């Protein structure tokens, strides 16, 4: 019993949370750079270790989350953080726990919060779990945080998801921040104003 309790609560919300937050911040500040939170993610059990580490870092009882078609993950995130579930268009953070078909992904990106002209930072952050981030598909990024251009070889789903978001032609400075995560604890941040060239 004691061993079970120890393994369930290995993630330290202060120290591990700070490390995850720094990596998330670095990923968003340096689009195209892959960061890792594997040590913190390994402190959780199951299929969604990386999402749980991110959720325990970003969520609290004042935030609202939307988890697409995964009641088990939604329940775990709520139990760990007390964050309330909300409709897609009201959520601060949107968790996609599997790779979706592109039509469904487009509908989600179209219907999340894009911020307002007074407060563009009020947009939602969409966290997408993929089987991997690195791959063979070259992707060239431009925009804020990128020195000229940044090229990274990524998994095709990653590039396609960013292209779908860009195709929505959300008016500047509004948009949606994307965070890609894989089961190996890797992160890739794509802020709302960064584009695939």
């Amino acid at each position: 019993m004691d061993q079970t309790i120890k393994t369930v609560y290995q993630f330290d919300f202060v120290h591990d949370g700070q490390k995850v937050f720094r990596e998330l911040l670095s990923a968003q500040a340096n689009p195209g750079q892959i960061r890792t939170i594997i040590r913190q993610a390994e402190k959780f059990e199951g299929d969604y270790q990386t999402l749980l580490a991110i959720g325990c870092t970003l969520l609290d009882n004042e935030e609202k989350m939307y988890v697409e078609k995964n009641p088990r993950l939604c329940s775990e995130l709520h139990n760990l953080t007390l964050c309330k579930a909300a409709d897609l268009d009201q959520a601060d953070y949107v968790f996609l726990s599997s790779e979706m078909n592109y039509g469904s992904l487009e509908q989600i990106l179209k219907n999340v919060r894009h911020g307002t002209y007074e407060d563009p930072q009020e947009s939602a952050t969409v966290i997408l779990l993929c089987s991997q981030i690195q791959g063979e598909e070259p992707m060239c990024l431009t925009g804020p945080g990128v020195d000229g251009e940044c090229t990274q070889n990524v998994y095709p789903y990653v590039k396609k998801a960013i292209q779908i978001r860009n195709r929505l032609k959300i008016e500047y400075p509004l948009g949606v921040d994307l965070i890609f995560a894989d089961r190996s604890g890797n992160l890739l941040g794509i802020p709302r104003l960064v584009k695939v060239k």
Side-chain angles (χ1 to χ4, degrees):
M1 179 72 164
D2 289 340
Q3 185 61 32
T4 303
I5 290 173
K6 285 179 186 172
T7 57
V8 170
Y9 294 102
Q10 284 184 355
F11 185 86
D12 184 309
F13 277 73
V14 176
H15 297 102
D16 289 323
Q18 286 177 349
K19 289 175 184 169
V20 172
F21 186 76
R22 281 197 295 271
E23 293 302 326
L24 286 167
L25 200 58
S26 181
Q28 288 294 83
N30 301 288
Q33 285 187 14
I34 296 173
R35 314 298 299 172
T36 185
I37 57 167
I38 186 62
R39 287 198 177 123
Q40 293 73 38
E42 285 176 338
K43 296 184 178 184
F44 292 97
E45 302 278 323
D47 296 331
Y48 306 110
Q49 297 170 300
T50 309
L51 293 184
L52 289 170
I54 293 169
C56 286
T57 301
L58 297 176
L59 302 177
D60 60 31
N61 62 348
E62 295 181 10
E63 303 293 339
K64 291 178 277 196
M65 66 174 171
Y66 174 86
V67 181
E68 174 70 13
K69 295 183 181 174
N70 194 330
R72 191 179 64 133
L73 176 61
C74 186
S75 176
E76 273 190 82
L77 286 169
H78 171 73
N79 292 340
L80 289 166
T81 66
L82 301 179
C83 182
K84 293 182 179 66
D87 291 335
L88 179 62
D89 62 347
Q90 298 298 311
D92 301 301
Y93 296 97
V94 175
F95 289 83
L96 306 180
S97 60
S98 63
E99 293 177 18
M100 308 177 71
N101 70 61
Y102 297 133
S104 298
L105 180 59
E106 182 174 1
Q107 286 306 307
I108 285 180
L109 294 176
K110 190 183 291 185
N111 292 304
V112 296
R113 287 182 8 209
H114 296 155
T116 65
Y117 291 108
E118 295 81 24
D119 294 302
Q121 74 280 0
E122 291 295 315
S123 64
T125 299
V126 179
I127 299 134
L128 304 95
L129 185 65
C130 356
S131 53
Q132 63 190 64
I133 291 176
Q134 288 181 305
E136 313 238 335
E137 184 79 25
M139 176 179 75
C140 183
L141 299 174
T142 62
V146 179
D147 185 13
E149 296 177 358
C150 169
T151 301
Q152 177 69 260
N153 288 338
V154 295
Y155 183 58
Y157 181 78
V158 173
K159 183 176 179 180
K160 185 68 174 176
I162 300 166
Q163 288 174 329
I164 289 170
R165 182 198 64 178
N166 293 351
R167 262 201 328 258
L168 295 176
K169 300 207 183 299
I170 302 167
E171 206 169 315
Y172 176 87
L174 310 183
V176 179
D177 293 328
L178 302 177
I179 297 172
F180 294 92
D182 68 20
R183 296 185 195 281
S184 301
N186 296 312
L187 304 174
L188 176 70
I190 306 293
R192 64 183 183 273
L193 301 180
V194 169
K195 307 287 185 199
V196 173
K197 186 175 175 186

